[in-house]
Amino acid sequence: MIEIQAEFFKTMGSATRLQILNILREHPLSVSEICQATNLPQGTVSRQLTILRGAGIVISRRLGNAKVYQITDDKIAEVCDMVRTILIEQIHKQSQSIK
C-alpha cells in the first residue's frame, strides 16, 4: 500500500497537473477548455491528463465530439486543500521564527 501511496504523491508532484486539477474541481471540462483556462498547449494538457487518468485521479467521457475530463473523487480536491493549508501554516511558522 505504501508504494501505491508514493505513486499517488509522485503523480500529484507536478505543478502542471495540480493546475489542471484545480480547474477541474469546479466542473468537467474538455481538453480545449482546459487549454484556454491554463494557457497550456494542447499536447501538454493531453499528456498530463493521460498521466492523471492512468493514476485514477481523473476520468473522461464523451460529450458529443469532445472528451470531457473530471476528478474521480471530491476527496482529491480536499487533499490538495489540506496540503496547501499545511504549507501556508509552515510558511507562517517559519516567518515567525525569523522575527
Side-chain angles (χ1 to χ4, degrees):
M1 181 54 105
I2 211 89
E3 291 84 11
I4 296 169
Q5 187 177 3
E7 278 301 311
F8 174 83
F9 281 111
K10 181 179 174 185
T11 300
M12 299 294 280
S14 160
T16 302
R17 289 192 284 273
L18 289 173
Q19 182 181 12
I20 291 169
L21 288 174
N22 193 48
I23 290 165
L24 288 177
R25 72 188 311 161
E26 299 298 321
H27 49 78
L29 295 171
S30 68
V31 173
S32 62
E33 291 170 322
I34 296 168
C35 290
Q36 285 180 322
T38 60
N39 292 319
L40 293 169
Q42 186 269 332
T44 299
V45 170
S46 292
R47 268 192 311 280
Q48 300 308 317
L49 287 168
T50 297
I51 293 167
L52 290 167
R53 196 175 64 203
I57 295 170
V58 300
I59 56 172
S60 64
R61 62 183 166 84
R62 282 266 172 221
L63 187 63
N65 291 333
K67 193 182 261 190
V68 177
Y69 290 84
Q70 68 186 60
I71 297 175
T72 57
D73 191 322
D74 290 339
K75 291 181 194 98
I76 291 169
E78 291 173 23
V79 167
C80 292
D81 291 341
M82 265 200 264
V83 169
R84 188 176 297 119
T85 299
I86 290 166
L87 293 172
I88 290 168
E89 288 172 359
Q90 286 179 339
I91 290 167
H92 180 72
K93 286 177 186 175
Q94 289 172 353
S95 70
Q96 293 300 315
S97 66
I98 293 174
K99 292 180 179 181

